[in-house]
């Protein structure tokens, strides 16, 4: 019989919020000491891992054990891969231009502004986006085919992220590609395979809660907020504004889908037919 333990779920919410906050505050302390706020991007995935593990522990005895373990494991795998990738990618580099621009607008103390506008905000977003992961541990009853669909969608997302990141890293490592637009592999089907991958991951995890529709309705805001961030917030929209003046980017935008993958359009021929 399917059901949901609303009381236990509500009781854990402050604890998971504290877990996300703890990860971000520790990162803040390290970042201030190193004067390197790009470290918060590494903490993003780790904070999701912390929330998933705390929720798994607190939900023991309340929901289906297979669902609890599956959702926690999938979240941790995704979060650790993302954090390791971002950490290795940023090793040896200075501050991220995004944070330089943001902190340049600080009305007072840059440190206090960074805490408020970066770390506390990201902690709140982690907690909000992860609501389906937190709720999954309290769904009573065996998983249905919806969970299998969710797992397949999660796998699709992780493949897009991992393969897209690997292809981009290899492209950038070749000096011959300096200043060029990456338009090969998955990047010829979507301009943002990593963001599309995140989209699939979080809608996939959401499907594990859909065996109990009221819980799904209560946590729908999680993947909805993540989708907004990826398409309209700090993801696709911000990156494309940053790249707008890059040579070849306008032509790339015409040929390749902005988000959902599709075969690329043919390059336009010049007047001479070349």
């Amino acid at each position: 019989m399917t059901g949901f333990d609303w009381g236990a779920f509500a009781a854990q919410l402050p604890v998971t919020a504290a877990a996300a906050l703890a990860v971000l505050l520790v990162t803040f302390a390290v970042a201030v000491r190193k004067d390197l706020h790009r470290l918060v991007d590494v903490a993003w995935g780790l904070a999701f891992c912390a929330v998933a593990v705390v929720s798994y522990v607190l939900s023991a005895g309340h929901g289906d054990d297979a669902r609890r373990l599956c959702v926690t494991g999938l979240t941790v795998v995704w979060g650790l891969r993302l954090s390791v990738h971002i950490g290795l990618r940023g090793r040896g580099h200075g501050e991220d231009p995004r944070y330089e621009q943001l902190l340049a607008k600080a009305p007072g103390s840059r440190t206090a502004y960074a805490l408020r506008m970066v770390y506390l905000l990201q902690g709140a977003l982690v907690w909000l986006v992860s609501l389906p992961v937190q709720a999954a541990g309290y769904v009573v009853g065996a998983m249905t085919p919806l969970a299998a669909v969710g797992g397949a969608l999660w796998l699709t997302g992780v493949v897009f992220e991992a393969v897209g990141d690997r292809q981009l890293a290899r492209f950038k490592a070749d000096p011959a590609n300096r200043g060029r637009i990456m338009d090969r592999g998955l990047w010829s089907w979507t301009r943002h395979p990593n963001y599309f991958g995140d989209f699939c991951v979080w809608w996939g995890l959401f499907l594990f809660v859909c065996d109990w529709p009221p819980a799904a309705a209560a946590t729908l805001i999680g993947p909805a907020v993540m989708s907004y961030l990826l398409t309209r917030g700090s993801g696709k929209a911000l990156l494309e504004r940053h790249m707008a003046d890059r040579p070849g980017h306008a032509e790339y935008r015409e040929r390749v889908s902005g988000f959902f993958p599709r075969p690329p359009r043919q390059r336009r021929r010049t007047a001479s037919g070349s």
Side-chain angles (χ1 to χ4, degrees):
M1 181 176 181
T2 306
F4 190 80
D5 194 335
W6 288 102
F9 171 64
Q12 79 150 15
L13 293 178
V15 186
T16 53
L21 182 62
V23 173
L24 271 299
L25 288 180
V26 169
T27 306
F28 171 70
V30 175
V32 169
R33 185 168 183 173
K34 291 181 174 290
D35 193 25
L36 192 67
H37 290 291
R38 73 182 306 148
L39 294 176
V40 72
D41 294 337
V42 178
W44 176 252
L46 296 179
F48 281 105
C49 294
V51 169
V53 170
V54 168
S55 182
Y56 176 77
V57 172
L58 294 179
S59 64
H62 295 285
D64 176 64
D65 286 342
R67 182 185 286 104
R68 290 174 56 242
L69 183 61
C70 188
V71 170
T72 302
L74 295 181
T75 305
V76 169
V77 168
W78 170 81
L80 287 179
R81 190 215 73 84
L82 181 62
S83 291
V84 170
H85 168 71
I86 292 176
L88 292 176
R89 185 184 66 187
R91 186 172 54 184
H93 293 275
E95 186 60 278
D96 189 308
R98 294 174 301 159
Y99 298 122
E100 288 182 345
Q101 294 173 8
L102 176 65
L103 297 180
K105 304 174 183 177
S109 166
R110 285 168 56 95
T111 300
Y113 191 72
L115 175 63
R116 184 172 68 253
M117 298 302 296
V118 178
Y119 296 86
L120 296 182
L121 177 60
Q122 289 206 21
L125 288 172
V126 166
W127 180 83
L128 189 63
V129 169
S130 66
L131 283 176
V133 171
Q134 300 178 54
Y138 296 91
V139 178
V140 179
M143 291 185 287
T144 71
L146 273 175
V149 176
L153 191 56
W154 176 91
L155 181 60
T156 299
V158 169
V159 168
F160 262 83
E161 287 189 62
V163 173
D165 287 340
R166 177 60 179 164
Q167 290 175 343
L168 182 60
R170 292 179 64 181
F171 179 83
K172 288 184 173 181
D174 186 348
N177 293 324
R178 186 179 300 275
R180 297 178 59 188
I181 296 292
M182 170 55 162
D183 61 353
R184 306 171 188 175
L186 293 179
W187 299 83
S188 67
W189 284 66
T190 167
R191 301 197 297 273
H192 304 282
N194 47 354
Y195 294 150
F196 172 72
D198 270 355
F199 175 90
C200 292
V201 163
W202 283 97
W203 283 105
L205 291 171
F206 172 72
L207 289 180
F208 282 87
V209 189
C210 289
D211 287 334
W212 187 244
T219 60
L220 176 62
I221 190 173
V225 167
M226 178 61 92
S227 299
Y228 176 82
L229 292 173
L230 293 170
T231 59
R232 303 288 184 180
S234 59
K236 170 183 178 289
L238 181 62
L239 181 58
E240 296 215 340
R241 285 197 298 270
H242 177 70
M243 296 184 64
D245 296 331
R246 291 274 298 273
H249 190 257
E251 187 269 342
Y252 179 59
R253 285 174 59 95
E254 289 183 2
R255 288 191 299 109
V256 178
S257 169
F259 196 77
F260 294 102
R262 61 161 171 75
R265 298 188 179 97
Q266 294 295 318
R267 293 178 183 270
R268 288 186 176 181
R269 295 183 178 273
T270 62
S272 61
S274 60

